[in-house]
Amino acid sequence: MADLPSNYEEFADARKGAFMQVKDFKEKGGRLVGVLCSYAPCEIIDAAGATAIGLCGTNNETVPDAEKVLPKNLCPLIKGTYGFAYTQKCPFTYYADFILGETTCDGKKKMYELLDELKPTYVMQLPQNQERAWAKDVWRQECELLKGRLEQEYDVTITEEDLRKAARKRNSLREAVIEMFEMQASVPPRMKGVDLMATMAAGTFSFDITDYEKSIREKLAAANAAYEAGERPVSVDAKRILLTGCPSAGVMGKVGASIENNGGVIVCLDDCSGPRTQAMLVDPEADDIMQAIADRYLDINCSVMTPNDARRANTIEMCKKYQVDGVVDLVLTACHTFNVEAELMRRDMEAIGMPYLKIETDYAPNDQGQIDTRIAAFIEML
């Protein structure tokens, strides 16, 4: 039996319900791997018969607890992630068989050493440059090592056919996600951006990616049918905003809602969970399926890579595709890689005549008024 945390009775009913759901999944033999980044090669986890669940902390609830251990001047995503493990308040973290990390930013990779004291944490060593001749070999080896770790954890053998089958299922899910994102290219868009992001965020907690894909396609069908029937959830006059930068889930109700409450609409989420990454598929018929998986993930454009020019080139293309009126670049406090790269993004937007606004914030509500004022002024200027 999977024991509940000692502080279970202190939780609200919704959290208790989530714990019981995950507890039931585990007691039925479910395998659970917590992942913390888009670089986590989910096909390998899927091929082991396990479920990959996103564990990034995306609210301020446990940040004060995390600051008892971690520095205060650290990214809120890192503190939130550690805080939920430290307080045992996240059912997915609590019941995960182990957590899969990756050496992206310095704060995360050092936090993993402390996280490993709370929950077994396996860390993949990510190259910091995609162009070096050895980078593909290194990442391929890291993927092979993860495969071995999963085989040991679950006493299974992961075959090439398992990997190909997993790639086909992940490709199908990503294609559905892309279709949903592309609804925003309509004028006006077919959904409010915040609603679309909430749908995407909810899917990271699904135990079955087939069920998740089904729910997306059902939502797609409903939104398209409503649009064809004349429903317009977004005004045609709303200013079309591309949101780029750091992972936005933790501030979607803060920055995203402010954009859409002040005359804008998010038509493109140009972060690591958006169409830029979702459009990257794995060829399931590749001669070397493990290399195909490794290459797909290494090609992800994140500010931890130096250089990272492809990210900004993609942003320019997304501005055209989604007929964008302005770009909001989201930087989480103390995320130095995205904060420095924001200057390069600003220059590129200036070069194409695209209005640009950088917002630096964290998960706390203290600066909501200032953010509302800045975003309202930006959209009014558009």
Side-chain angles (χ1 to χ4, degrees):
M1 296 290 286
D3 293 334
L4 290 163
S6 59
N7 54 346
Y8 172 76
E9 291 302 330
E10 301 172 13
F11 298 158
D13 288 344
R15 180 161 291 163
K16 285 182 178 179
F19 265 94
M20 295 307 297
Q21 180 185 11
V22 186
K23 183 175 186 290
D24 181 63
F25 172 77
K26 290 291 294 179
E27 289 177 347
K28 290 178 178 177
R31 302 165 179 173
L32 195 62
V33 178
V35 298
L36 298 173
C37 185
S38 295
Y39 283 108
C42 291
E43 285 84 352
I44 306 176
I45 297 171
D46 297 343
T51 294
I53 294 286
L55 298 184
C56 288
T58 56
N59 67 49
N60 205 54
E61 179 183 353
T62 63
V63 167
D65 295 291
E67 289 176 346
K68 297 174 183 176
V69 179
L70 300 174
K72 290 188 177 181
N73 60 339
L74 195 61
C75 161
L77 187 151
I78 298 173
K79 292 189 289 188
T81 300
Y82 182 83
F84 274 106
Y86 183 74
T87 59
Q88 299 186 334
K89 288 184 175 180
C90 173
F92 303 104
T93 303
Y94 182 79
Y95 283 117
D97 300 313
F98 68 94
I99 295 173
L100 175 62
E102 70 309 309
T103 54
T104 46
C105 75
D106 290 341
K108 284 176 76 176
K109 71 184 184 185
K110 296 306 292 184
M111 181 271 286
Y112 294 147
E113 297 175 24
L114 297 170
L115 186 62
D116 187 53
E117 299 173 352
L118 306 174
K119 174 68 64 172
T121 302
Y122 180 84
V123 181
M124 299 181 75
Q125 303 294 322
L126 179 71
Q128 303 290 285
N129 178 291
Q130 298 145 320
E131 299 174 2
R132 293 285 194 236
W134 46 260
K136 286 190 175 185
D137 292 337
V138 168
W139 192 238
R140 162 66 184 264
Q141 290 177 34
E142 287 297 312
C143 289
E144 292 282 4
L145 288 170
L146 173 62
K147 173 177 172 286
R149 174 68 172 82
L150 288 159
E151 289 176 328
Q152 179 184 30
E153 176 74 28
Y154 298 120
D155 191 23
V156 297
T157 299
I158 298 174
T159 67
E160 280 200 7
E161 186 51 41
D162 292 331
L163 294 170
R164 295 182 193 281
K165 181 179 178 181
R168 294 184 188 101
K169 289 183 71 173
R170 283 281 164 186
N171 284 350
S172 184
L173 172 61
R174 290 178 185 126
E175 287 166 349
V177 171
I178 284 294
E179 284 185 46
M180 176 159 277
F181 279 126
E182 289 184 341
M183 290 196 304
Q184 299 304 87
S186 300
V187 181
R190 302 188 176 215
M191 291 181 70
K192 291 184 177 180
V194 171
D195 291 345
L196 187 149
M197 308 317 161
T199 299
M200 297 296 107
T204 64
F205 303 113
S206 174
F207 294 133
D208 188 313
I209 63 172
T210 301
D211 290 344
Y212 177 33
E213 179 185 346
K214 181 181 177 182
S215 70
I216 287 177
R217 295 199 179 279
E218 288 173 351
K219 190 145 191 168
L220 267 169
N224 286 329
Y227 197 85
E228 296 304 321
E231 293 185 24
R232 296 292 181 268
V234 179
S235 168
V236 71
D237 297 322
K239 297 302 178 183
R240 303 171 65 86
I241 302 298
L242 179 148
L243 182 65
T244 189
C246 291
S248 57
V251 293
M252 191 50 66
K254 185 178 181 180
V255 175
S258 183
I259 290 170
E260 302 204 333
N261 290 336
N262 283 288
V265 58
I266 299 170
V267 293
C268 183
L269 180 65
D270 188 35
D271 68 8
C272 57
S273 64
R276 164 165 45 97
T277 300
Q278 297 294 341
M280 301 168 64
L281 306 181
V282 174
D283 180 6
E285 310 306 325
D287 291 339
D288 187 339
I289 184 61
M290 182 62 84
Q291 190 66 59
I293 291 170
D295 289 350
R296 184 264 176 199
Y297 284 91
L298 185 61
D299 284 345
I300 291 173
N301 301 316
C302 176
S303 64
V304 300
M305 294 291 177
T306 299
N308 188 37
D309 299 339
R311 174 203 165 201
R312 304 192 319 276
N314 180 80
T315 300
I316 292 171
E317 290 305 309
M318 293 296 98
C319 285
K320 298 173 184 175
K321 178 175 180 176
Y322 289 89
Q323 304 176 61
V324 168
D325 295 311
V327 167
V328 174
D329 200 351
L330 170 66
V331 176
L332 293 177
T333 304
C335 183
H336 303 310
T337 57
F338 271 107
N339 209 353
V340 173
E341 194 164 282
E343 172 60 18
L344 299 174
M345 181 66 78
R346 183 196 66 77
R347 294 177 190 175
D348 282 357
M349 295 302 101
E350 182 179 28
I352 64 170
M354 179 61 64
Y356 171 89
L357 174 68
K358 184 177 86 170
I359 295 287
E360 186 174 355
T361 188
D362 58 17
Y363 295 161
N366 307 354
D367 59 348
Q368 184 68 70
Q370 181 189 61
I371 287 174
D372 289 342
T373 299
R374 294 186 64 207
I375 287 176
F378 178 68
I379 292 175
E380 184 178 356
M381 176 269 294
L382 299 180

